[in-house]
Structure formats: structure tokens, C-alpha cells
Amino acid sequence: MSSLQKRLKLLSFGLMGFGLLDVIASVFMLVASPLAAGLTFDVAGEATDGVIAAEVLGIVGLLVGAYCLVVGVMGARAANNPRHVSAFKRLDLLLVVACVIEFGLGLASGQASWVELVLAVLGTCAFAYANKAHDEVVDR
């Protein structure tokens, strides 16, 4: 395994780690959503119950975490065989675009999160190393 493949695998493990943390945090958010019953949030000028907001954030977090896990697994598998990186590159590119959009929306609302920025950087680096590892294997 070349150094490029090792770096791709390490970045993929990072994506899986963030995905797992997101899934765990989302489960806690869903389990603790009844505790948010007394909270209200303004959404489009209307007061919204905290339970609904906690459940929505929990479900979205579960989906994002599961997607990060899938992308990480695909990247780890692509690191083992760089000739088959096309599926990983498509999924990773979608992850990076979604993270950049989410980070931009967070900046616009004044609530930017560092997690999206880290995921975008990890995804971008993994995409670059996947391309380099593929080119290295094809050139042989």
C-alpha cells in the first residue's frame, strides 16, 4: 500500500469517526427531546415547540452521520483498490458540496459550526488523495 493509499484510508477513518460521533449525538438528541418540551424557538416568526426542533435535528443528524459512515467505508475500500474510486469520488463530492452549503448557510444565519468545515476539508483532502492514488495505480 502506497503512502497515498494510507493517507486516503486515514482520511476515510476520520470521516467515519465524525459520522459515528454525529450518529451518537443524534441518538442523544432524539432520546432527550422530551426534555426540550418547555423550550420554544422562533421559526419563520412563529413559536415552535422544542421537542419538534430536537427531533428534526436528531433525524437530520442521523442521516448525515450515516452518510458520513457510508462515504468513509467507501473511501477505506477505495484505498485498498484505487482502480475503483469512482463511486467514492461521487459520494465524497456530494458530501463536500453539502458541507460547504451548510457552512455557508450557517455563516449567513450567524450560527456556523466547525464540524461542517472539518468535514468539508476532510472530504476535499480525501477526494484529492483518491485522484492521486488512482493516477498512481493507472500509471503503473
Side-chain angles (χ1 to χ4, degrees):
M1 184 176 277
S2 72
S3 64
L4 293 172
Q5 291 171 306
K6 289 178 185 176
R7 289 179 188 155
L8 176 59
K9 188 167 281 231
L10 184 65
L11 290 169
S12 298
F13 285 146
L15 287 171
M16 284 189 276
F18 272 100
L20 186 62
L21 285 174
D22 201 7
V23 167
I24 291 170
S26 299
V27 168
F28 283 137
M29 174 105 35
L30 286 171
V31 170
S33 63
L35 298 175
L39 301 175
T40 57
F41 300 96
D42 287 334
V43 176
E46 294 184 27
T48 304
D49 188 19
V51 174
I52 295 170
E55 289 175 352
V56 168
L57 287 173
I59 290 170
V60 169
L62 276 174
L63 293 174
V64 170
Y67 187 72
C68 284
L69 283 171
V70 168
V71 171
V73 168
M74 293 289 291
R77 292 184 68 202
N80 292 335
N81 190 358
R83 292 185 192 273
H84 304 289
V85 297
S86 60
F88 165 71
K89 289 190 327 187
R90 284 191 297 266
L91 291 175
D92 188 50
L93 188 60
L94 181 62
L95 175 71
V96 170
V97 168
C99 287
V100 167
I101 289 171
E102 189 176 2
F103 185 74
L105 290 173
L107 278 178
S109 68
Q111 299 174 352
S113 174
W114 61 272
V115 175
E116 288 90 9
L117 186 62
V118 170
L119 282 173
V121 169
L122 280 174
T124 302
C125 291
F127 188 82
Y129 281 117
N131 279 333
K132 289 179 183 179
H134 179 263
D135 292 343
E136 180 183 58
V137 170
V138 171
D139 288 342
R140 288 184 189 176

